[in-house]
Amino acid sequence: MSALTFVFVINAVFALFVAECALEKANSSSSNEIRFQAKTVPNEFIVTYHSKYNTNALKWSIVPRHNLAAHYPSDFDILHISDSNGTLIKETLSNVKAHPAVKAVFPQQYVQRWLSSNNTDSSNYNTRHLRGVPREKRVRAGNAQHVSASLHADVLWKLGITGMGVRVAIFDTGLTQNHPHFRNVKERTNWTNEKSLDDGVSHGTFVAGVIASSKECLGLAPDAELHIYKVFTNSQVSYTSWFLDAFNYAIYQKVNIINLSIGGPDFMDLPFVDKVLELSANNIIMVSAAGNDGPIYGTLNNPGDQSDVIGVGSINFDDKIARFSSRGMTTWELPLGYGRIGLDIVTYGSQVEGSDVRMGCRRLSGTSVSSPVVAGVAALLRSGASHKIDLVNPSSLKQVLVEGAERLPNYNIFEQGQGKLNLLKSMQLLLSYKPKISLIPSSLDFTSNYMWPYSSQPLFYGSTAAIVNVTILNGISVTGKVVGQPKWIPDPDNFGRFLNISTSFSSTIWPWTGWMSVYIAINKEAQNYEGIAKGRLILLIECVPIGANKSQQSEVDLPLTIKITPKPPRHKRILWDQFHSLRYPPGYIPRDNLKIKTDPLDWRADHIHTNFRDTYIHLRNSGYYIDVLREPYTCFNPLEYGVLLIVDPEEEFFDDEISSLEYYVYENGLSVIIFADWYNTTVMRHIKFFDENSRQWWIPDTGGANIPALNDLLKPFNISLGDFVGEGHFKLGDHSMYYASGTTLVTFPNNQDDVVIGTNLNDQGESVITNGKSQNLDVKQFVPIMGLFQTNLKFRQPEIIKYQRNSPVVDDNPKLSDISFDHAILKNRILLNEKNERFAEGRIAVYGDSNCLDSSHMEKACFWLLTTILDFAMNSHKSMLLENLNRISEFKQVKRKPLPMRISSSNLKKFSKVIRYIKNPNSRCEKLEWIVGTTLNISKRIELKLDSTEENQKNNIIININTELAKITLDNDMSSADQIDFNINISVLFMITLSATVLIVFILFLKGKIAFHSFK
């Protein structure tokens, strides 16, 4: 290759790279994802029954359903109450609930789905149709956008495995009649209020194409029997009752697989959630999208996060997790525990090709694309295991999918689940499958990066117990039970005695799945140990195998590998307050950043491993150890921690917590850092929405943070926050900052060493209230936003002043005022320091906005500020920057404004942990019973015998698949080797070219020098 040719090749490669980047950017701008919004329907209620009945059995006036459900027994009705009188509605519902046949009554839900571009940082709802990207009509094996080729589905097609005989139901926007791509559409049903069965959106057609297209953009299971359920209108509107009717019909039709390319954050929509469980119990395999709310953690959607459903995330064709793919733990269990691994598997979902609405193909991106990929694979697997079809169930299929998955490097379990889908490996596993019990995750290895965040911080004596929620998969039977208590087997050769283990679990496993929470702590014997400790948990499950008459017991074990470190010093330990965080559902907890109107609810749980993950990583990189507080302040030992970190709290505080915290700060030297958020009752009323069910306006139950509650907590320190909602860009020294919907200081101590920092901000509250039409919007106000306070026993306030809560506003009909608060201080608190040792007083730091720590809609991170404040709180060191910005002398002259009060319309009392347990906060303290270690027993396994014909058929298919896998592996190895050789050749050519260039330059230099001397 000549130097000129080499340069040409390099330029061509560079141009291709630029073109690919431009194409990817263009494609991403035209790719789409699915989003949802739900609200209740006027005066309509779903009445569920204990069993199914024919519609003429009860004499209630019900809303008729003009679909196939009218011809089948149903377990629910839609009750419409025409009167708008709220009292009458409530009385009618009470009478209905009192009927012995009625199980429960729920509001009818209206759901609207929007198609929105995923190339913007903040999602904008729109109703435009998707636009496909042009592509070649003919399928080529090298075309990466064809999922069937990338998953090597043709290997199974050659063996006659094409999805034949498998009934796949697609719940979506319908399918055009006689679409040329499909050869086995068994039935199209319409559950909406539209007359047409056709797909006017093109989403349902695309999903069907990924599963079973037989032309152009080939689907995975072209011979699968398609059952099309139109549950969304062409305006992308649906109702819960439409889904319930369609689900019931799917049960009657005995479909095998249901694809749900839908999802949302409301895991408390009980009629929907319960019906999904019923479908699984009827041996229907449910596949659902994980959600398109990534890359933020804690964004998994329901029903994909249910343990009986296969939850699917997305990757690109280069095996990287798609940015939009939802990830993180489930948040059902927070704040009292820890989430589950709700994401099961990932597969292709970015720029995937599928059928267009009439003919031809188009590309889409989203987990709603990945879901039908797995549904198509499930159809292939089921059709390939027809000789052992009785063993295929929601649990066994999930087992072979997750066990066959390839773990992706550089991604943790909460990002990729069990890994990348591998069709051929899962087919192998299913063909040799024997009914068993398994666990997700199958082991707990805290030394592996795959197990982040567990791997990110070693455990030590005195740290809070780590919680891992394990899913139990029962491939033997739809129901089972845990026998006795799990056994703990510490490894005597690997310091297993250093581990304290406790568990809680579902005694009944139904349908097909259960759960076990594992609590892991370090005992005192390991307080100076650094290294690894090992052991295993043994769980005994009893169930009746399919086709058997006698129950059998089977053991499953969970190996533990735990990283331990010596106990760190107090000034390196932070306690994150999770107990006082609330989320949607169940309450209307509004967004923290009022500017982000398209994301109105605070639903990501405010945990250090969800939307505050980046903050957690920063703290760990700075050398801090962070524990999570899952219980009231009265339950933890303050001598273990240097700082209590309270970020964006929405919950109330127990009186005992208020008095205890004051004692911890003044007597035990605990410091407190608070990052608050906005609170303004007028703004809260302005962002209300109309609940058509109750015919009432729903107002947020609190602001971005519960400022009245925070003021109660800080009252002993003479600190309070106001209802001015500030927003704007500003600078702290050389640091650019953004204040997004924050609060401001109203009162703060005036001691000589204290610091108060202010800045000029916009009045965002007025902007919201006036819809941006105020004439004063451009006028900024100087407001105090941060304060640093060194407490001193000499200035400690008298008790009579400290414990007076703020009274509700005059025009309120308060809910909290009905609660009797006990204001007595805890005088006899038991401390661990037996000699009543005195500690230096702690410090208080307050900043009015948490959005700079929250990854949800972060515009400017303020991790540097958190580090600076921590240095003050831990070590009493005030940076020169903050000292120079101190404006406390000016703050003393500011006229004090009234403090914000609790809003009367708040429904906080319905779901607040504090208000419900106001009389006894210590009842919320975590009480763990450690399992006594024992020795290992031999596991009991169930072996299922197959006849010789089935065994031979299975072995023949396995041999063929093994041969194809070997070829694929060899091809991949050769491709890798060719790539390495190419890279080596390029490197050699580059060195030769470089050397030649240097030599030519040197020769020219010598000639010039000789010519110069000759001339001279």
Side-chain angles (χ1 to χ4, degrees), residues 111-135:
V111 181
Q112 184 162 12
R113 175 176 59 187
W114 285 273
L115 305 180
S116 61
S117 172
N118 61 26
N119 68 317
T120 54
D121 293 332
S122 60
S123 305
N124 294 311
Y125 294 138
N126 61 78
T127 54
R128 61 182 174 82
H129 288 288
L130 300 173
R131 301 299 179 193
V133 177
R135 56 169 292 276

Side-chain angles (χ1 to χ4, degrees), residues 116 128 172 216 355 631 654 761 791 795 806 818 986:
S116 61
R128 61 182 174 82
D172 218 285
E216 297 185 277
S355 302
E631 50 196 350
F654 290 106
L761 294 176
T791 63
F795 304 110
N806 293 323
D818 297 335
I986 288 294

Side-chain angles (χ1 to χ4, degrees), residues 261-301:
S261 290
I262 65 169
D266 191 357
F267 53 80
M268 297 187 73
D269 185 5
L270 294 182
F272 188 95
V273 171
D274 288 347
K275 187 58 67 174
V276 169
L277 293 172
E278 183 183 346
L279 288 161
S280 296
N282 279 274
N283 206 27
I284 296 175
I285 295 162
M286 306 284 292
V287 185
S288 187
N292 296 338
D293 298 292
I296 308 302
Y297 278 61
T299 53
L300 295 182
N301 285 200

